[in-house]
Amino acid sequence: MSTQTDWLPRSRTEVLAMCRKWLAYLIETLRIAWGIPAAEFTELGNLFNTAETLLAKAQDEAERTHVITVECQEAFKALTAKMRFFRDRYFKIPPLTEGDWAALGFKAKDPHPTPTPAPDGVPAVSLSYPGGPHALTIHLGAMAGTRELAVESDYGYAIYVGIMPPGGATLEQAASDKHYLMKPPLDGKGLLHYRFTRRRKEKLVFDAEESSMIVYVCCRYENQKGEVGQWGPVAYAVIP
């Protein structure tokens, strides 16, 4: 019987260890064979280096400050989002061999897994202002008239976020690492993966220059195998 939980390690040290395995294993020939663009691979490496450096500072009593702690949190948020993107986009097609799977730090697949149904619920999302500058709170739950989160199929929430400057992003803004939106999204397809969570509430913190821009948030259920359900409605708010 499978008792698999979310595949991403819980501790920051273990997250770095897994990402380090990815960077070492994905030599150029394999990266090309799996269809991973050089720019994406480079970005993953840069995010890893930033997170590793900031974690070392956050763990050093002589260097640790509130700013370092916040920067470390944001660095790991960005790194884990990119790692989820890699797994969903590049580690499923073509299928990995058991050797590839082990080399990338994933647990061996259960030869006799308990069948897990695909998510069939539809989550709702709303936003509120928690107080403080440049922050919003995401509230998650079931759509009215639908059942609540079910562990066996709708294991947690996959949250997607996008930011649109007033009037829409320019081509340059859309091509930046923030991928600002040129127009309001119809669902979550045009948004960036923010995080996976089983909590009903998550806090969003923005850069100061994003004040007065509009943030769009959408989510869908995700089961223990990484399968996702239908998009919920898109919520939006002006960034304070």
Side-chain angles (χ1 to χ4, degrees):
M1 179 179 293
S2 173
T3 57
Q4 179 185 4
T5 57
D6 185 31
W7 61 268
L8 195 66
R10 290 186 178 275
S11 79
R12 291 172 174 174
T13 301
E14 291 174 333
V15 167
L16 290 177
M18 173 176 273
C19 189
R20 190 180 293 109
K21 288 181 179 180
W22 293 12
L23 296 170
Y25 190 67
L26 291 172
I27 59 175
E28 185 174 10
T29 52
L30 189 60
R31 176 182 63 73
I32 293 173
W34 288 5
I36 302 174
E40 291 285 2
F41 184 71
T42 298
E43 184 178 358
L44 178 66
N46 291 339
L47 290 171
F48 169 83
N49 291 333
T50 299
E52 184 178 46
T53 299
L54 287 170
L55 180 60
K57 291 182 178 180
Q59 293 176 334
D60 187 335
E61 292 186 5
E63 290 197 69
R64 185 172 61 239
T65 63
H66 176 69
V67 172
I68 290 295
T69 299
V70 172
E71 288 180 346
C72 185
Q73 292 172 347
E74 293 302 311
F76 273 88
K77 185 187 302 181
L79 176 61
T80 54
K82 178 59 70 174
M83 290 175 70
R84 289 187 182 281
F85 172 82
F86 259 66
R87 185 183 188 277
D88 291 343
R89 180 67 62 87
Y90 303 121
F91 294 170
K92 292 182 178 179
I93 301 174
L96 277 65
T97 66
E98 290 295 332
D100 292 330
W101 199 255
L104 292 169
F106 295 111
K107 294 181 180 179
K109 297 179 181 179
D110 189 341
H112 304 291
T114 300
T116 302
D120 60 357
V122 180
V125 59
S126 62
L127 302 170
S128 68
Y129 296 94
H134 324 308
L136 287 165
T137 298
I138 303 173
H139 302 272
L140 301 162
M143 284 280 291
T146 66
R147 62 179 177 79
E148 293 293 328
L149 188 68
V151 172
E152 69 276 8
S153 59
D154 304 329
Y155 182 68
Y157 304 94
I159 305 173
Y160 296 76
V161 175
I163 300 172
M164 188 178 76
T170 63
L171 288 175
E172 183 178 3
Q173 288 174 316
S176 70
D177 58 353
K178 290 295 189 74
H179 300 288
Y180 289 117
L181 301 173
M182 300 181 74
K183 60 181 180 180
L186 299 177
D187 53 32
K189 292 179 182 177
L191 308 181
L192 296 177
H193 186 279
Y194 173 66
R195 69 169 47 177
F196 171 90
T197 184
R198 299 196 69 203
R199 304 198 306 173
R200 301 290 294 269
K201 187 185 295 185
E202 291 287 343
K203 187 176 182 180
L204 276 173
V205 179
F206 304 91
D207 294 335
E209 61 267 23
E210 292 171 335
S211 179
S212 299
M213 294 186 183
I214 300 176
V215 60
Y216 295 89
V217 180
C218 189
C219 68
R220 53 188 178 180
Y221 286 132
E222 181 176 319
N223 68 14
Q224 298 183 45
K225 297 191 296 184
E227 297 172 329
V228 293
Q230 300 178 54
W231 291 111
V234 178
Y236 64 92
V238 176
I239 299 172

